[in-house]
Amino acid sequence: MGCRISKTNSNPNYSSYAMRDKSTQSSSAASTVPQHHKNKPYKRFTMRSFGLYVTLLFCLVLFVGFLMEQLSLLVLFAYSIISILTFLVYAWDKAAAKRNSRRIPEKYIHILALACGWPGAVVAQRFIRHKSSKRRFQIMFWLTVVGNCLLIWGISRSGQRLLASLVG
């Protein structure tokens, strides 16, 4: 009685290995291993990771803008304080969701994100894992991020110069 291990290719992203008994040709699935895990460690790119990269890049741009005297120190403080507050609001809302108690309305969370708190919201979504999978919330959230970035560009010196030249 011998056993034979054979590879099945029902899904191109995964390799399924089945153990077959030579005498009865019956099989039992031993394991399903993703193709990318065979040779090297694999890190899946997710929206949460994308959000962290965008946040880090944005914070770097803010800091460079401050160093180049395009943004005031007040802008850096506003982002820091409101981001911490937004992170705490996410944590509070997550705890309320677990307790089945009164929740914070999403419109207030979006207002905080629009008012310079979106970096803290991205960090909270990534590490607290709150509001990170609701598609409708995420669409509105990223629209507030774009809106906030446009506002911050509008108050920068280069943004003000461009707007002044367009207005006349």
Side-chain angles (χ1 to χ4, degrees):
M1 177 168 140
C3 289
R4 174 176 62 129
I5 296 177
S6 63
K7 183 177 176 182
T8 61
N9 289 323
S10 57
N11 184 339
N13 295 328
Y14 291 90
S15 294
S16 297
Y17 294 93
M19 193 178 299
R20 298 186 190 278
D21 186 354
K22 284 184 180 177
S23 61
T24 61
Q25 292 299 315
S26 64
S27 67
S28 62
S31 67
T32 301
V33 180
Q35 209 50 288
H36 47 265
H37 280 224
K38 285 182 162 183
N39 302 325
K40 62 182 178 179
Y42 173 76
K43 287 191 173 186
R44 193 177 77 179
F45 181 78
T46 63
M47 260 325 259
R48 284 190 293 254
S49 300
F50 172 75
L52 281 178
Y53 293 133
V54 168
T55 302
L56 288 172
L57 179 65
F58 181 79
C59 291
L60 181 66
V61 167
L62 275 182
F63 188 68
V64 169
F66 168 71
L67 291 177
M68 294 178 64
E69 298 180 359
Q70 296 293 314
L71 294 171
S72 78
L73 186 60
L74 182 63
V75 172
L76 292 178
F77 282 134
Y79 271 98
S80 300
I81 300 298
I82 298 172
S83 289
I84 291 169
L85 175 68
T86 305
F87 183 91
L88 294 173
V89 166
Y90 268 75
W92 179 280
D93 192 51
K94 172 89 177 202
K98 284 183 175 180
R99 291 189 312 262
N100 281 334
S101 63
R102 189 173 175 163
R103 305 278 304 275
I104 298 169
E106 286 183 359
K107 66 180 177 182
Y108 296 128
I109 294 174
H110 286 309
I111 289 170
L112 279 171
L114 184 62
C116 303
W118 70 266
V122 169
V123 173
Q125 288 174 15
R126 176 68 169 109
F127 293 106
I128 298 175
R129 296 182 186 247
H130 188 53
K131 301 283 189 187
S132 60
S133 61
K134 263 179 102 174
R135 180 173 227 103
R136 194 180 110 244
F137 182 87
Q138 284 296 308
I139 290 169
M140 184 56 120
F141 172 75
W142 286 105
L143 286 174
T144 62
V145 170
V146 169
N148 180 265
C149 290
L150 289 173
L151 286 173
I152 198 69
W153 174 78
I155 66 169
S156 72
R157 288 198 175 101
S158 59
Q160 287 176 350
R161 282 193 296 264
L162 180 66
L163 291 174
S165 69
L166 290 175
V167 173

